[in-house]
Amino acid sequence: MSKKSKTKKKNSNKTANAKKSVNKLRIAILIVAVLVVVGIIASIVIVNANSDTAKIKNELCKAKWTPLSATDASGDEVDMAQVYNTDYSSYEGSLEYSDDNTFSFWLSPGSPDDGTHTGTYEVADDKTVNMYFDDGTNTRFSINCEDNKVLSIEVNYDGYLIIFTSEQI
């Protein structure tokens, strides 16, 4: 075999290997570009979702929530004394949220010393707050929002639906 044919063969192998390397590089660049775009889109979605729940959390925390009305299972408005199943007509109640994801909930006749409940909460979305009571029970309160402004909170309590409205702190 002549020296010229060995050189041609080496050069053609180098050219083929170079083309394979370029193709692999192009594929790698394309994959990285796709992953970057997917990451950016996922980040935008997460940031937007979190900013809405953060705004709602802020709305919850900047107000003291008090009972406005109650309805029974048939949708008829009832007096809070009926909710408490007592003749005690001077009722009160409150719901307060803190920035540290804790809450204080009082819904009974008498004074807050008669049964304030505490725990932690999580704003799930613009319609729901997950409530985790210190006694181990969990529930969800519904929130009515308009443009990330909380208008009222609905609490199911012993077969009644109680509507809380805000008093700005």
Side-chain angles (χ1 to χ4, degrees):
M1 206 185 255
S2 75
K3 212 173 191 184
K4 282 187 180 181
S5 64
K6 281 186 180 181
T7 305
K8 270 188 178 180
K9 193 174 183 181
K10 282 184 183 179
N11 286 341
S12 68
N13 283 341
K14 284 182 182 179
T15 304
N17 287 339
K19 286 181 182 179
K20 286 180 184 178
S21 294
V22 168
N23 286 339
K24 286 181 182 180
L25 182 61
R26 286 181 184 162
I27 291 171
I29 290 171
L30 179 63
I31 290 171
V32 168
V34 167
L35 290 174
V36 167
V37 169
V38 167
I40 290 170
I41 291 170
S43 297
I44 290 170
V45 168
I46 290 169
V47 166
N48 284 339
N50 287 340
S51 67
D52 287 348
T53 57
K55 288 176 188 174
I56 291 169
K57 178 182 175 182
N58 184 47
E59 283 286 313
L60 292 173
C61 292
K62 73 179 185 180
K64 179 179 179 183
W65 300 89
T66 56
L68 172 68
S69 63
T71 55
D72 60 16
S74 62
D76 296 327
E77 191 164 339
V78 297
D79 188 69
M80 289 302 287
Q82 183 176 339
V83 172
Y84 298 134
N85 195 22
T86 181
D87 290 330
Y88 190 82
S89 61
S90 177
Y91 70 88
E92 290 188 38
S94 65
L95 175 59
E96 292 185 53
Y97 293 95
S98 299
D99 288 331
D100 65 355
N101 291 356
T102 60
F103 70 89
S104 174
F105 178 60
W106 170 51
L107 189 60
S108 64
S111 71
D113 296 332
D114 295 338
T116 297
H117 302 281
T118 57
T120 60
Y121 72 94
E122 166 190 56
V123 177
D125 54 40
D126 65 346
K127 295 181 183 359
T128 310
V129 178
N130 295 324
M131 307 292 289
Y132 308 101
F133 289 85
D134 289 338
D135 69 1
T137 59
N138 303 324
T139 192
R140 291 184 176 155
F141 290 175
S142 298
I143 52 178
N144 298 313
C145 288
E146 188 174 295
D147 298 325
N148 292 325
K149 179 163 177 50
V150 179
L151 305 175
S152 64
I153 301 170
E154 297 178 356
V155 177
N156 286 309
Y157 178 81
D158 205 21
Y160 296 94
L161 179 65
I162 302 171
I163 308 296
F164 282 77
T165 59
S166 68
E167 297 174 11
Q168 296 297 319
I169 295 177

